[in-house]
Amino acid sequence: MNTSTANTPTLSELEARAGKGQPVFGEHAHILCDNLVRIYKTEGVEVVALQGLDLLIDKGELIAIVGASGSGKSTLLNVLSGLDVPTAGLARVAGTDLLSMTAKDRLRYRRQVVGFIWQQTARNLLPYLTARENVRLPVKLAGNRDQAADADELLELLGVANCADRRPGQMSGGEQQRVAIAVALANSPEVILADEPTGELDSENSEQVFAALRSANRELGVTAVVVTHDPLVSEQVDRTVGIRDGRTSSETLRREGTDGGIIAEEYAVLDRVGRLQLPRDFTSALNMERRVRLELERDHIGVWPDKPRSSEDAE
Amino acid sequence: MSPLLPLKVYRGAAAVLALLSLGTALLVAGLPRGFELAYDDALHLVIDDASANQTDLAIRLIPRLHSQRLAREGDFRGRDAQWRAIIPPSLTPVLDTSPGNDSHYSAKTVGTPVAGRIGSDPVPLQFVDVGWLSGADRRIRYVEGTPPGPPDTLASVPGHPDLVDVTRFDIALAKRASDMMRIPVGTTLILGNSHPSLARVTALFEPVVPTDRYWDHNLDAVQVTVRRVAGSDVEEHHITALLDVSSMERLSGSDRDLRYNWIIGLSPTAINARNAPDLIRGVDEYEQAIRGLVGRSINSYAQVAGFAPFQLDSGLRELLREFLKRLATAQTLMILVMGGLLVVAAGVMALSVQLLTERMRPALSLMRARGASLGQVVRTTAGTVALATFPAIVVGYGLSYLLPGPVTLTVHLGPLLIGAFAVGFAAVRVALAHRTPLRERREDVVARRRSPRRTMLELLVIVLALVGAYLLRTRGLTTEVNTLGADPFLMLVPAALTLAAALLTLRCYPYPLRAVVWLAARARPAVPFVGLTLAARARSVTALPVVILLPALAVSVYGAVVGGTLDTTQRVAAWQSAGADARIESAAELPAGVIEKVRRTPGVRAVVPADKGTAQIGFGGRTATVVAVDLDAYREIVTDTPLTVPHLAGGAAGPAIPALVSPDLANLSTFEIGWHVRMKIVKKGVITGGLPGVSFAESNLIIVPYDASQRAGARTYTNMLLLGADKPGGGGIDATALLNATGNVPQIYVETFERALDHVTKTPLTGTIKAGFLVVTIAMTVYALLTVIIALVVGAAERTRALSFLRTLGLSERQAANLTVLEIAPLILITACAGLVLGLALPSALGPGIDLRAYAGDIAMGEYRLDPTTPILLATGLAAVALAGAFVHAVAGRRRSLGSILRVGD
């Protein structure tokens, strides 16, 4: 009795414990999405694009987000870029809460915190401005020349200095995308978001565009999030996050092995409430449906189909 | 981003907007000028027709007291200055201050009989007034004798012992009067039966310019007035002779009936349709001011006893009121059609702004995503639209100065408003579209259904419009249109009806389309089905084209109906005024020779003789108009006209003569009349409304057979001829030829249908109304065409992509063109039908509100003649033009290669 009394915390202890505060989920992350939901709703029909997505990205990280068409990648990027507002959950980028922003905050966020690159090369640039003018446009719109990077330096850094006086029509797709990266970096943002930046390009141009992204990430210390289908991109980043049905489902981490080769390890993502997405191949191979049995072992958790083990044994 | 850059890049769309702005500014600034000019011309016609003594201001005084006597020119001048000092400001701009204007003052005696002559035989029934007119010496030329001198006093007159210490005036007489009244120079007249004075004619004069407006006030000095003495055959002659100013000292109101006049000349050219209401008020105020002045000057009992108020005499108010009544109708109509035109023009401008902003949308979205604030995006767009519109508007405004007409506030404000509307529309549209940065349509999400609140609002608009139309029909308009201006209710009802019709069209548009699509889905060819399905889903089927096309059609159709009805009513009025293709009336009996000559006049097919006169009913004092005419023959010559001729059954017993009588004589079944001979009349029927053209009397009218007098024992008489022309439809007989045939004498009056029609249609403002409708209809057609083309161009990229995909599936170019036409056709056809119905309904909805009687020979246009031919042709034409535009657009789109489109599309 005494023992149990000693183990049970008193009310004052509980209060003290609550006051002390525990580390908040993703407290130090540069980009944080916690149980993010985005529902497109019109009369009678709801499309749930994000269904409680969790994501943590550290400052200066370069990550790729992959997923099938319709999985919610672009919605996530639109939310992170401040172009779209999530329905529920928590989204924070560089300390800015994306759900509670006023119109003014949102504008400041787009001007100072994020840069954006779309898939369609034509959509990123104004066709009647030269590369240099395109890069200067966001600076002019924001009106803060002090913080802005020099257009020519940016173009130089991204290897398209020769295109400075050319209009988009006079550049190749790869060059256009690299200029688009320069445009995204013009106001010295903390985060750049790229939606399939190499989607319309051949492998050689893709390589160059990805190199440009990586140099922006390394040289300028910008956090970069790239949504991609391109294995060339996804296999060269440190971390690849897979999204399925509006949730993060897997993460692939890459590290350099002792032999100098790259070792990629794929993990399933366990969310804060303990939900886990099993890869579809695994569940269908074992004919798992609706219910599974879990068993806690000493160093792992076993997952079995819901059929009793005895009948399996009898078979 | 500088607004110049998008202007340069999207120069095609900007050019369309600029051209539209130019045209609209020209219309908005030019049309009101044209209308105002027409109103002014009409007013000047009216004023020119009136004489100066109707349009000028005259202040008159009958001096009854000694203190009111004015003996010197200075006295008149002093009074004149006094009158001019109190002229209200509204009248000041129209005062005629030009040199040689007709302002003057005068003193004249009235009705002074000539009691005799000194030294010659008297001529009976002559009246010679004497008077002094300021400024007359400059306007007359003495043709005989010496100008009148100062008066003198004769102690005695030989042969007239009663004339002792009598004043003798020297007078000058108009030459014509001298000849006509046989008063040569040197004659001394005895004026007045009591307190006589003498007048010695020392000179004869002629006016230097007889048409001078000055003489309109003093016709009595230059023309002899001949009056027939009531109840006798004798005539009186009146003239006013001119005195020297020095005679004024001897001229007093105590001896003669004297009048003082101050004429304040107004400049007819300064009077216009816009200042007319002010002038009416000004004359009223002036009248009160003059009375007030007189009131203040009464300061003794004697003055009150002899109180002779100054009177303001002017026909200007009546003249202007009558004109304004006419003008109000024309203005109402013009405001209606101009309002319609403005709505349509604004709609097309909005559509063209939409074209430009749609073109700019990707750039603006990119700007917004890259950190442009809403203000920056709106400023860029508004700046681009302003740069495209305002220079063009300035040019259009400038060009409108090439058109004749006065400059009103509308001329300045109209173009400015058009520009402001375009810029405002662009700003609001862009602000709404880019309020949130990312506004991409998701294809997988169904369109939002209309909210119940919106449905209720639409229902409310429709109900209000219907209630408005009902009220307008039952209660009519305020009758004080000329004082209160046009009824705003009248302006609102058509607008509300149009809006209601547009809402209904937009709401009901899918239903007929659905039925057609259902049918098309079951037909073999794929093009109609795909085309109509595209039509059902097309984004170009928005409110804007409907809002443009509907009023365009409604106003055009309304114009056609009103114009058509006006035309018909004018013709009816002309027929009623002429009575036949031509009519000849004579005061005396027409000789057989003249009748024969008339019969041989080219164009004359038939001659129906008639006799019209006044007859005594029974033996009392009651008289009636009797017309003796062969009604069957008359009916035959007016077969193809709107005139109806009653039947008169012939066979009356014995010598009694069958007759049709007006309703007031209907109680007399058999009676006698005394005409050429006494005759017995038997009533055979009642005729209501007279016999238009033949006799305008609607009461006390008796119509008998042509040979009535003969039957009664005398012979037939003819003083009227009704003529039928060779060719039907009127206008076959030349009035001049008839005048020549009848000897061109003033006693014989000739009227032809053509002249009567001219008289009715040449009414001031009729032309304005018709020209206004024509110009507006043409403008509407052009706008409708532009609407369709711009609506198609707005959605061109989307359509081209859709068509290109279909073409990869085997759609031919011709099928693609048909598809485009089919896509827009339901909108055009359904809107055309709605516009047609609305246009046909508007005249009856507004019927009592717009009184066109003044333009239709005073015939009330009660029932609008719904001849659907012109409106249907108009609607079909407009729809065809619009569809042709769609077809041209589709064919022009063929030129691009499939590969390039698909590349562009993706």
Side-chain angles (χ1 to χ4, degrees), chain A residues 240-259:
Chain A
T240 304
V241 176
I243 294 188
R244 211 174 83 199
D245 301 331
R247 287 203 191 102
T248 38
S249 62
S250 65
E251 266 193 46
T252 308
L253 296 182
R254 287 180 191 79
R255 60 186 165 84
E256 214 166 308
T258 46
D259 57 347

Side-chain angles (χ1 to χ4, degrees), chain A residues 40-43 45 47 75 78 82-83 107 110-111 116 118 123-126 128-129 137-138 140-141 183, chain B residues 1 5-6 9-10 363 366-373 376 437-438 440 442 444-449 906:
Chain A
Y40 293 103
K41 190 159 59 175
T42 51
E43 199 73 26
V45 180
V47 177
T75 305
N78 280 337
L83 298 179
L107 187 61
R110 280 203 307 280
R111 282 175 175 176
F116 202 92
W118 278 283
R123 207 177 144 188
N124 281 308
L125 305 172
L126 285 183
Y128 39 83
L129 297 183
L137 179 68
K140 280 188 187 165
L141 291 173
V183 174
Chain B
M1 189 164 57
L5 197 59
V9 176
Y10 309 109
L366 183 66
M367 275 175 65
R368 187 83 171 112
R370 293 273 184 240
S373 67
Q376 283 171 322
L438 189 75
E440 287 183 332
R442 285 189 68 116
D444 51 350
V445 173
V446 293
R448 185 178 287 275
R449 214 180 280 164
D906 270 336

